[in-house]
Amino acid sequence: MKKRLLTLLLVTLACVSAISAQGRRGLRINEVMIVNDSTSVVDDFGRYSAWIELYNSTFAPLEISSVFLTNDRSNNTLYPVPLGDVNTDIPARQHVLFWADGEPNKGTFHTNFTFTPGEDNYIAIYDANGLSLIDEIVVPGTLLPGQSYARKADGEGGINNPDDWEVRDGSESHYITPSSNNIIKSTNNKVDSFAEHDPHGFAMAVMAMCIVFSALVILSICFYIINSIGASISRKRKVKALASDENEIEDHHHEQDSGEVIAAISAALAEHLDAHDRESTILTINKVRRAYSPWSSKIYSLRELPHR
């Protein structure tokens, strides 16, 4: 039983680790500014520092503590994101900024490296093992102060694919968006299309009911399977307990002395003690005398019916 529990625990831990690692694969470098002039955002100390925007492209919260940020191809573990900061838990489809100011003593989101303006700057994210590459990009050295290098759409595109990136100068068509979506949509195409094809919402209602009933059916099947497994385990335990009781009874019978042994012991005791059944032939009769009481005298008994 203990081995099974240990195996189950190990499998659970492995699954959790795999899910966590798979979730971190959704972490993306989303936008970078090498030279932050007075037209961009300031850090929590009011300084204009270079920044890196990371984006959680998954649909679940993503904990990024213990991952590594680096701008050195020969050092994958240059800046480990510290543990214990609640702000390292990025909500689904949200962003977080890291300041590349070379001053990690200022907080979790201040890296220990800086960028070199006018040169190509390499940026990468590695998983907690320091070996698994999550994302990387090379920011071109032609980037001017106040310009950012951003993905055309949040989190979309491959790793280190320049075709998915563009230079943004803060103009109306190429606005800079630290801690915000790279594309601000006023409408949702999928919602608009659904509203166009189902203006009264009947299809949505049917779909919702199908989902609910499907979930109920799946739950009932799961409960039935769990109940069957529990009943099977209970029956096996009961059979095992009955078999154990029968074995104990048989062992107890075997341990008890047989009738022959008891008879032999009785005969030995009789010979040794000369003990035989002897009965007395004297008969004794004792007279029973009772003290006189007027209450027991017959003369006081009722002899005739009383006259009216």
Side-chain angles (χ1 to χ4, degrees), residues 2-178:
K2 292 182 178 180
K3 291 182 178 179
R4 292 181 180 178
L5 291 175
L6 181 59
T7 303
L8 181 61
L9 180 61
L10 292 176
V11 171
T12 303
L13 291 175
C15 292
V16 170
S17 300
I19 292 172
S20 176
Q22 188 65 27
R24 286 178 174 175
R25 295 292 181 183
L27 186 62
R28 291 288 178 265
I29 302 171
N30 205 52
E31 191 171 1
V32 181
M33 178 172 282
I34 302 299
V35 179
N36 184 3
D37 62 6
S38 58
T39 60
S40 186
V41 66
V42 297
D43 63 8
D44 41 357
F45 292 90
R47 298 173 56 183
Y48 293 94
S49 303
W51 48 264
I52 307 167
E53 181 189 74
L54 303 185
Y55 176 67
N56 176 14
S57 63
T58 68
F59 291 89
L62 183 58
E63 172 58 46
I64 64 169
S65 59
S66 74
V67 302
F68 296 95
L69 289 174
T70 183
N71 68 338
D72 187 354
R73 293 181 183 272
S74 61
N75 187 358
N76 300 343
T77 60
L78 182 59
Y79 178 70
V81 178
L83 296 169
D85 193 330
V86 296
N87 294 319
T88 57
D89 191 7
I90 309 176
R93 316 293 290 181
Q94 295 300 316
H95 314 73
V96 66
L97 280 183
F98 280 85
W99 304 95
D101 53 7
E103 300 182 35
N105 58 328
K106 288 187 175 181
T108 300
F109 299 98
H110 293 261
T111 68
N112 57 359
F113 59 84
T114 59
F115 296 132
T116 304
E119 297 181 5
D120 291 349
N121 287 272
Y122 171 78
I123 308 170
I125 311 173
Y126 281 86
D127 208 345
N129 57 13
L131 300 174
S132 302
L133 177 66
I134 298 176
D135 194 15
E136 66 177 358
I137 189 63
V138 175
V139 181
T142 56
L143 210 63
L144 299 176
Q147 291 183 340
S148 70
Y149 195 56
R151 289 182 183 269
K152 296 178 181 178
D154 292 290
E156 295 184 4
I159 297 177
N160 200 9
N161 186 3
D163 294 336
D164 300 321
W165 292 72
E166 63 182 1
V167 176
R168 298 195 170 191
D169 55 7
S171 62
E172 185 176 351
S173 58
H174 293 85
Y175 42 82
I176 299 171
T177 58

Side-chain angles (χ1 to χ4, degrees), residues 231-263:
S232 176
I233 294 174
S234 179
R235 285 195 298 269
K236 290 181 180 179
R237 289 180 178 176
K238 187 175 181 180
V239 171
K240 186 177 180 180
L242 291 175
S244 177
D245 292 341
E246 291 178 357
N247 293 333
E248 289 180 0
I249 293 172
E250 291 179 359
D251 294 339
H252 182 67
H253 285 324
H254 288 309
E255 291 175 357
Q256 289 182 345
D257 295 330
S258 63
E260 296 177 355
V261 174
I262 294 174

Side-chain angles (χ1 to χ4, degrees), residues 288-302:
V288 178
R289 300 184 64 180
R290 293 185 298 177
Y292 172 77
S293 174
W295 295 102
S296 62
S297 177
K298 295 182 179 180
I299 63 175
Y300 295 105
S301 61
L302 185 63

